[in-house]
Amino acid sequence: MAAEHTNPYLPEPVVIVGTEMENSLVKTFRVVFEDADRMKRFSFIPGQVGQLSAFGAGEATFVINSPPTRMDYLQFSVMQTGEVTRKLHQFKAGDRLGLRAPLGGGFDVEGMKGKNVVLIGGGIGMAPLRTLLLYMLDNRADYGDITVVYGSKSPEDFCYKSDLEEWNARPDMRLIETVDNSCTLWTKCVGLVPNVLLDEKPSPVNTIAVTCGPPIMIRFTLQALEKLGFSDDQIVTTLERRMKCGIGLCGRCNIGEKYVCVDGPVFTLSQLKELPAEL
Ligand SMILES: Cc1cc2nc3c(=O)[nH]c(=O)nc-3n(C[C@H](O)[C@H](O)[C@H](O)COP(=O)(O)OP(=O)(O)OC[C@H]3O[C@@H](n4cnc5c(N)ncnc54)[C@H](O)[C@@H]3O)c2cc1C
Ligand code: FES
C-alpha cells in the first residue's frame, strides 16, 4: 500500500534535502519525509517506485534510485519530458513535494543471491539499476561477479558521474562505460550497448541479466542476451507503462490481465512473453 494513512491517493509531504543536475535534462532530488518517524518506518525493495508530486501540477512515477541499505534520504532522478517533470525541475533544497511510495514490486534480490549479475543500462535507465547495484554492493558477500554495462549518447550525458568514479575504482565489480560515437578526450568504450555486450560475452552460467533503458536499446539488448545463451528466466527488465493510481485501481497501466503498477514494473522476459502482443 502506498502510504500509512487510509487514503492511498493522498501524497505524504517530503522535504528536498539536496539536488544535483546529472546532465542537461536529468535532475536528482534527495528527499526525506517531513515526519521523521515515517522516515524511520519507511521500507522498500530495490526497483519499487514512487509517485512524486509537485503540488498543483500533478504527479509522475519515478524509481527510488537510492538503496534501502542507505536510508538517510530517498533519491529520485527526474528527466524533463513534459509538464510535471518541468515543474519538478523548478524545485530546490528546502522545498516540499508530495510522495506516494513504495509502489509496485521490486527486483528479486533474494533470488539473485549466489548468482552472477550483469546490469545493462542506457541513459536514465541507470536509475533502477543504481538502487539494485548499491544494494548488492552493500551486501557484497551474497552475490557473485557483478558486471555493469552503461551506455550514454555522449560522456556529458552519463548520470551518476561520482558513482561511476567509485564503481570504476572498486576491485569487486566491473564497469564498462560506453558512448554511442567516438569523441575527443573519451578513452573508454565506444559503441551501442547491445554490441558492447556481444563483444564482452558475459557467461550465462548461473547469471541473471537486468536491463533498463530506452525501448530500442532494450529490444536489441534482449536479442543480444538470447544470442549469448541467456534463457528468458535469466533476463529481467522494467516496463515504463504510464501510471496514474499506482495501486491497481484505475486501469491506466494494464497489459491484458497484468497491471504494471502492481504486477510490475519489474518482469522477467518469460513473464513478458506471456503478455498480449500490444507491447
Ligand atoms: C515504473 C516507472 C518508473 C519510472 N522511473 C523514472 C525515473 O526514475 N526517472 C524518470 O525521469 N522517469 C521515470 N519514469 C517516466 C516518468 O514517469 C515520465 O517521464 C513522467 O511521467 C513524465 O511526466 P510529464 O508530465 O513531465 O510528461 P508528459 O507531459 O506526461 O509526457 C511528455 C512526453 O513523454 C511521454 N511519456 C511520458 N511518460 C511516459 C512513459 N512512462 N512512457 C513512455 N512515454 C512517456 C509522453 O507521451 C509525451 O510524449 C518512470 C515511469 C514508470 C512507469
Ligand atoms: S496505474 Fe492505475 S491500475 Fe495501474
Side-chain angles (χ1 to χ4, degrees):
M1 194 49 68
E4 285 182 339
H5 43 65
T6 49
N7 183 350
Y9 290 101
L10 206 59
E12 295 177 83
V14 291
V15 180
I16 301 172
V17 293
T19 67
E20 192 170 336
M21 282 311 286
E22 303 288 350
N23 57 37
S24 60
L25 283 180
V26 178
K27 185 169 182 176
T28 286
F29 294 88
R30 299 183 184 112
V31 306
V32 295
F33 285 99
E34 215 166 57
D35 174 355
D37 284 340
R38 172 67 173 131
M39 193 68 205
K40 283 186 199 135
R41 291 192 306 275
F42 186 82
S43 65
F44 69 101
I45 304 166
Q48 284 192 293
V49 301
Q51 291 282 81
L52 210 50
S53 43
F55 294 111
E59 58 179 9
T61 314
F62 306 96
V63 71
I64 306 169
N65 72 60
S66 51
T69 41
R70 304 181 191 187
M71 288 298 286
D72 290 346
Y73 51 77
L74 303 173
Q75 180 167 301
F76 298 89
S77 300
V78 176
M79 183 157 92
Q80 192 172 309
T81 51
E83 197 187 327
V84 175
T85 48
R86 191 173 314 117
K87 181 74 187 170
L88 282 170
H89 269 228
Q90 293 169 7
F91 286 80
K92 56 188 189 321
D95 290 342
R96 282 167 101 221
L97 296 173
L99 177 65
R100 294 195 293 127
L103 298 171
F107 295 107
D108 181 13
V109 287
E110 289 300 311
M112 288 183 200
K113 282 186 178 168
K115 301 202 164 148
N116 305 318
V117 182
V118 183
L119 305 180
I120 308 145
I124 186 65
M126 196 60 209
L129 301 183
R130 179 183 191 268
T131 169
L132 177 58
L133 175 61
L134 292 178
Y135 179 87
M136 291 192 298
L137 293 177
D138 290 346
N139 294 280
R140 190 64 192 89
D142 289 341
Y143 299 93
D145 294 343
I146 299 177
T147 307
V148 179
V149 179
Y150 181 22
S152 173
K153 275 192 197 131
S154 71
E156 302 77 51
D157 290 321
F158 280 108
C159 294
Y160 316 123
K161 294 181 185 73
S162 58
D163 288 332
L164 296 178
E165 263 179 49
E166 273 181 38
W167 299 339
N168 262 317
R170 282 186 76 121
D172 58 352
M173 64 166 281
R174 182 147 181 261
L175 171 65
I176 300 146
E177 296 151 89
T178 182
V179 295
D180 291 357
N181 300 300
S182 58
C183 51
T184 44
L185 301 180
W186 179 253
T187 52
K188 296 177 186 170
C189 196
V190 177
L192 299 175
V193 166
N195 298 337
V196 172
L197 194 62
L198 285 171
D199 289 344
E200 286 295 323
K201 298 187 183 50
S203 164
V205 177
N206 194 36
T207 305
I208 299 289
V210 186
T211 182
C212 304
I216 185 84
M217 185 208 93
I218 300 270
R219 177 144 33 105
F220 288 105
T221 298
L222 295 180
Q223 288 175 12
L225 288 168
E226 285 179 325
K227 249 188 223 168
L228 291 167
F230 283 77
S231 70
D232 294 350
D233 286 328
Q234 291 174 280
I235 303 174
V236 176
T237 188
T238 63
L239 281 191
E240 287 207 358
R241 191 78 164 188
R242 306 281 306 263
M243 291 187 187
K244 197 166 172 154
C245 72
I247 51 174
L249 295 178
C250 73
R252 172 77 173 264
C253 70
N254 73 301
I255 304 169
E257 287 175 358
K258 296 280 182 198
Y259 289 88
V260 173
C261 67
V262 287
D263 299 310
V266 176
F267 292 95
T268 62
L269 186 55
S270 317
Q271 291 167 329
L272 288 186
K273 284 187 174 173
E274 283 165 16
L275 299 178
E278 60 172 288
L279 211 56

